[in-house]
Structures are given as C-alpha cells and as structure tokens.
Amino acid sequence: MTGKRIVKAREGVERTRLYPLAEAVKMVKARANAKFDETVEIAMNLGVDPKHADQMVRGVCNLPNGSGRTLKVAVFARGAKAEEAKAAGADIVGAEDLVETVNSGKIEFDRCIATPDMMGLVGRLGKVLGPRGLMPNPRVGTVTMDVKAAVAASKGGSVEFRVEKAGIVHSAVGKVSFGEDKLVQNIKAFADAVSKAKPTGAKGNYIQRIAISSTMGPGVKIELASVMSGAAQ
C-alpha cells in the first residue's frame, strides 16, 4: 500500500519542471495524504562550500505564521534572568544543575538559550550539544540577556538554519493544515532570511534551487523568482 500511495502522490508532479510558489504549495497540500498533520519542509541548494569559514551559512528566521510545532526550550541562566525565563514560558531553566543533567545524556529540549555569563559553563557541553545543533550561539539570538524575547521567539515559531556539507539548507516552514497563504508567507520569509545570510565568500549564483515537500509527499521544485520577490539571488 505504501508504494501505491507514493506513486499516486507523485502523479502530476513533473520532476524537471519549476512551479510558481503558490501552485507548488497547492500541489504539496493536495498530495499530503498521511493520517497525521504533515510538516511542510523546504530545501534550498546554495552555491557555497561550507568547509570554508567564509562560506558558512547560519541564521534564524521568525516565521510570520509560526512553524506549527511547539518547541521545548531550555535556558541556562541564574537569578533574575532565570526567573524571567520561567515567566516567559521556558520549559527547563537551570545553571550547574542543568549542565550536569545534559552531561548525563538527558536532553529533553529542542532549543537552548543562554545568558552570556553562562557560556563558560555551557561551553563544556560543546561535544554534547554541538552535534545536535543545540549549542547556543549569539549569531542566531540564543546567547542573549533578553531571555524573555528569545524564549518568546522560540515558542512563537522561529526556526534556526545551518547549511549542510552538500551546500543545502533544510527547514520546516509550517504544517499541511496551514492555509495556502500562510505557507506562502512562511516560505518567502525563510528564503529571504537565507538570502540575507549570504556569506562574504559566496561566489556566483548563491541560491540555486528551491523545493518544498510534505513529510511523506514528493518534492516540488519552485521558480526562484516566485519566491525571492526581488531579493538578491
């Protein structure tokens, strides 16, 4: 049955054709026939080689309509900042105790925030948090004194992105249950954030290909001009 479902989902999707964004969103939604609310994902092929430091692409995007996913947020902070984090809705707040918990392999969060004064402690967790993409970083707003805003952004639908070895950026940009307009807005916002994160070492055509898909559905390639809205490519 699974094979038949995949074949049916692929019907009408021309693998070599580039579709306007609005049409691509309609196609992805129409072909999402799993028994759960599938995530809509974007993949962007970039003209960079992340092995070179000046071609690394990393950043954060506040999706205007949220991601549709509720993140569990951990905050490394003490005193008043710890209380601020709790009041803002952080799921886990701590200092040395949280370092010990994480070091023991108990990682029950999706996003990690730290105040700058905690980075001496948090730095010891690099081998644990780094490979999972959870290490706090000032470039994406997760090392900050404004923990209230950082927690709110994480809970509200901000997504971090980081280019992979092959020069591809992946991210969730919503759920199939979202309206078409909301998905279009999220996708444009994400592509714009990646465009603005263009590194100094990028040469030639920076954004080369964009495709979207649902969790269980086929990929649909998109016309760049329909996504970028005049942004630098």
Side-chain angles (χ1 to χ4, degrees):
M1 289 298 291
T2 303
K4 289 181 180 178
R5 186 190 63 75
I6 292 173
V7 169
K8 185 172 179 60
R10 286 177 178 164
E11 286 178 2
V13 179
E14 297 177 40
R15 297 189 69 175
T16 57
R17 182 180 167 190
L18 301 179
Y19 293 88
L21 176 56
E23 185 179 347
V25 167
K26 280 184 182 179
M27 294 173 72
V28 166
K29 281 174 65 71
R31 286 160 176 78
N33 50 22
K35 294 180 180 178
F36 60 92
D37 190 8
E38 296 180 49
T39 298
V40 177
E41 300 167 353
I42 188 170
M44 300 179 66
N45 292 69
L46 307 179
V48 297
D49 182 353
K51 289 197 298 286
H52 301 284
D54 65 348
Q55 294 187 47
M56 171 55 68
V57 179
R58 184 171 186 177
V60 65
C61 174
N62 291 311
L63 298 173
N65 301 298
S67 66
R69 182 183 173 206
T70 302
L71 296 183
K72 289 195 73 174
V73 179
V75 178
F76 287 90
R78 290 192 184 97
K81 287 298 171 182
E83 294 306 313
E84 183 182 319
K86 291 174 186 175
D91 300 278
I92 304 167
V93 181
E96 285 84 357
D97 55 333
L98 184 50
V99 170
E100 286 183 22
T101 300
V102 172
N103 247 336
S104 72
K106 192 176 180 183
I107 300 174
E108 298 177 333
F109 50 85
D110 309 296
R111 182 73 53 82
C112 186
I113 296 163
T115 53
D117 59 296
M118 293 298 297
M119 287 308 294
L121 270 179
V122 179
R124 302 175 195 169
L125 301 174
K127 290 182 180 178
V128 182
L129 296 178
R132 293 172 171 82
L134 292 172
M135 194 66 182
N137 188 303
R139 288 180 60 187
V140 296
T142 48
V143 177
T144 176
M145 287 300 287
D146 194 352
V147 292
K148 180 180 178 181
V151 170
S154 296
K155 290 286 190 179
S158 73
V159 292
E160 292 184 31
F161 57 86
R162 182 172 182 167
V163 68
E164 299 170 5
K165 289 180 181 178
I168 301 172
V169 167
H170 287 101
S171 180
V173 286
K175 294 285 187 178
V176 165
S177 59
F178 284 19
E180 291 171 15
D181 287 347
K182 288 187 175 181
L183 285 170
V184 166
Q185 290 166 10
N186 278 3
I187 291 164
K188 285 189 173 185
F190 184 83
D192 186 52
V194 173
S195 177
K196 288 176 178 174
K198 181 178 181 178
T200 55
K203 308 296 182 195
N205 195 12
Y206 173 51
I207 296 176
Q208 299 181 338
R209 289 185 298 280
I210 300 176
I212 58 172
S213 64
S214 65
T215 306
M216 307 292 287
V220 180
K221 296 176 182 176
I222 301 175
E223 290 176 353
L224 294 185
S226 69
V227 181
M228 300 314 299
S229 303
Q233 296 174 30

